Amino acid sequence: MFSYLRHSILFLFLCFFSVCSNGAENLQNPVAISGVLDLSGWDWRRGTVSLDGVWTLDEIPWELPSTQGFHGAPMGFGIYQLKIKLPENSTHLALLSPLVGTAFSLSVDGKVLAEEGKVSKTQEGSLPSYRPRVILLPGTDQQEINLTIEVSNWDDQFGGIYYSLKIGTLEQIQSIRTQAVIWEAFLFGAIFLMGLYHCGSFFFRNQNRAPLWFGLFCIMISFRSTFYSETLFLEIFPDVSWYFIIRGVYVTMALALVCFAAFVDRLYPKLSFRPAVILTVVGGVIYAFINLFAPIVWTTALLVPFQLLLLSFGVYSLATVGRALYYKEPGAGLFVGGTVIFLLTVLLDIIKSHFFWNLPSLVNVGTFIFLLAQSLVVARLFANAFATSEMHSAALEKINSSLERFIPREVLGFLNKKSITEIVLGDFSELKMTVFFLDIRNFTGLSESMSPKENFKFINSFLKLFGPIIRDHNGFVDKYLGDGMMALFPGPPDESLAAAIAMRHALREYNEGRTRGGYQTVEFGIGIHTGPLMLGTIGENRRMDSTVISDTVNAASRLEGLTKKYAVDILISGATIQSLEHPEVFRTKFVAEETVKGKLKPIEVFLLTYEP
């Protein structure tokens, strides 16, 4: 984790020094001095030139770009002028005008070439608007042009020319503008899709809200990017007013803070200080509401308090993630790494703005890396949750498989349940089945000659022999009875008779092996009866069992007991014979009519003699 942070920061510092070295070369470019920019010795093949340096503002020397607006005031009116000495053969030149706050009129040698908004010396006559512009300069044989830009701002907290203008060939300027638009479009698409992905992850698996809040945060950031910088929103909707754009900038910023606060809270809920989160969310919502409905001047007045709130939560979130890193919470390293990279790009931009170094702006890159890092955090959180879910699912499946050895899966089917977790006390189903009882003869005498361990070993080996025969004939063991078993056959009774005959063969082979080993042979008795029964659950909420309740069960048990009386191994009821689909397959012999306890009418008892 810490190795990842070291590598990320080292990489960024290498990029930083590389950019600074490129900036040092760019510092050799001409700069304006005392309102004059001398490009007479410039070769346009070297690239474009930023119109940075000392211009005049209302005939007073003024360095551009500047965040000081109009003589130190953000609102007002001013005329910026610069004389540019051009090299020979300077044709097909163009200017790249950035965002200018918040209306301008640009002219060359007194000819107006471009206007944005409506410039006015008073607030009443102004109309704010801003967007980057590519402005084609008129072809001229003159070696000198006079650039004049009238600017007014009566609405925004930033006024004047605060970004660099560039001059170059039309092809160069258009290329810069196109690359900037493509980059902004890429950022919008990547961040927006990132947001949709995480929102979708939440909707398909909503146990944790962290992906939802991060997804909404990405969506807010992506839309904010279309309102600012290259103002892609205006490329699609050119007639939208400046007020809509500026409200969009601050509303999305406020809601992004709300979503990020909720994201950090849900990402590490055990480490969250809820009052700080609530304060941030409430403050962000209030500021968004003000930006939506209040006059624009309120936005300007409350921007500093909102920025302090944003800064405070930034410190809080770093402290929270620092604790998460200390406790080795998943994703904390990625979170810190992305934040460090983002802050370093912001630092680079601050250095650029204060010292006017000709460095590229990396804030958008830093923002993208930051969001990508947070996306990986959420993805890792989701992956961990999915892995945990898979682990629990596997454990549950293993438990269900183990429980099926105690409660047959067939019982779940007859009770119309898919899982044992769905069974509740009192579930039952009325069915017609064949009940099959098997009992070991003279088990008491056999067990007296064996130790407890040998008893269990003998019983399990015996039942292990006959359990598969039950299943092979589409029956299932309902319960073991110590020295026997009770099985149920939901299909035709023919299967139960076939199972009994197969057991007779298996017992013969089993006894041959016991005889060779010097052990006493084993005999069994089987009783089979067909009829209606109720299969369900009995007990109480903390301990229940599946069972079968019916006279059919009593009759089958009674038939098994009668095998001792008549000294035979397999007895079946007349009801079972009448239910056979292929009675011709089996040979039976009538034995007697017997009255079963609890029933007035006797049942017919038959001996199964024929083995197909």
Side-chain angles (χ1 to χ4, degrees), residues 87-250:
E88 295 181 357
N89 299 321
S90 294
T91 57
H92 302 291
L93 296 181
L95 288 173
L96 179 60
S97 171
L99 300 183
V100 176
T102 53
F104 75 87
S105 174
L106 185 147
S107 59
V108 172
D109 295 330
K111 181 180 180 181
V112 177
L113 300 181
E115 291 180 311
E116 191 67 39
K118 186 174 181 181
V119 180
S120 175
K121 295 182 179 180
T122 63
Q123 185 173 3
E124 287 71 20
S126 67
L127 180 64
S129 177
Y130 59 37
R131 75 184 76 196
R133 299 280 296 274
V134 174
I135 303 170
L136 179 64
L137 297 179
T140 178
D141 295 332
Q142 298 180 9
Q143 301 299 305
E144 183 177 289
I145 60 174
N146 294 294
L147 177 63
T148 302
I149 305 177
E150 295 183 4
V151 181
S152 68
N153 173 53
W154 302 103
D155 297 277
D156 197 10
Q157 69 272 17
F158 297 112
I161 301 176
Y162 42 82
Y163 290 122
S164 296
L165 284 80
K166 292 183 181 295
I167 187 173
T169 65
L170 178 61
E171 181 180 359
Q172 291 170 337
I173 295 299
Q174 287 180 330
S175 176
I176 293 174
R177 170 65 174 158
T178 301
Q179 290 177 12
V181 170
I182 291 174
W183 173 245
E184 290 287 344
F186 166 76
L187 281 181
F188 168 76
I191 297 172
F192 183 75
L193 291 177
M194 198 184 299
L196 286 184
Y197 168 78
H198 289 292
C199 287
S201 298
F202 168 78
F203 287 117
F204 285 110
R205 188 181 182 279
N206 55 9
Q207 282 82 356
N208 191 327
R209 286 191 172 87
L212 172 64
W213 290 116
F214 182 73
L216 294 175
F217 170 69
C218 289
I219 291 173
M220 290 298 107
I221 292 296
S222 66
F223 276 108
R224 184 180 186 277
S225 69
T226 67
F227 292 129
Y228 208 62
S229 189
E230 302 303 320
T231 59
L232 293 181
F233 194 87
L234 288 175
E235 297 292 328
I236 304 173
F237 305 102
D239 296 328
V240 172
S241 72
W242 176 85
Y243 295 100
F244 180 87
I245 295 297
I246 200 66
R247 289 182 189 276
V249 169
Y250 291 107

Side-chain angles (χ1 to χ4, degrees), residues 393-423:
S393 178
L396 183 60
E397 184 176 350
K398 187 175 180 180
I399 291 172
N400 283 335
S401 298
S402 298
L403 289 175
E404 285 177 7
R405 294 182 289 180
F406 297 91
I407 299 179
R409 177 176 288 273
E410 292 82 357
V411 172
L412 299 179
F414 294 129
L415 296 177
N416 296 318
K417 307 294 183 182
K418 294 182 179 179
S419 170
I420 195 171
T421 58
E422 298 178 9
I423 291 181

Side-chain angles (χ1 to χ4, degrees), residues 279-297:
L279 176 64
T280 303
V281 169
V282 171
V285 170
I286 291 175
Y287 191 63
F289 185 84
I290 289 173
N291 279 282
L292 278 174
F293 302 106
I296 291 295
V297 67

Side-chain angles (χ1 to χ4, degrees), residues 515-535:
T515 300
R516 288 193 298 270
Y519 296 101
Q520 182 181 350
T521 59
V522 180
E523 301 297 333
F524 62 45
I526 295 176
I528 303 173
H529 180 56
T530 303
L533 52 79
M534 290 189 299
L535 186 149

Side-chain angles (χ1 to χ4, degrees), residues 149 256 260 264 297 310 384 393 471:
I149 305 177
F260 189 73
V264 175
V297 67
L310 192 152
N384 289 344
S393 178
R471 290 189 291 275

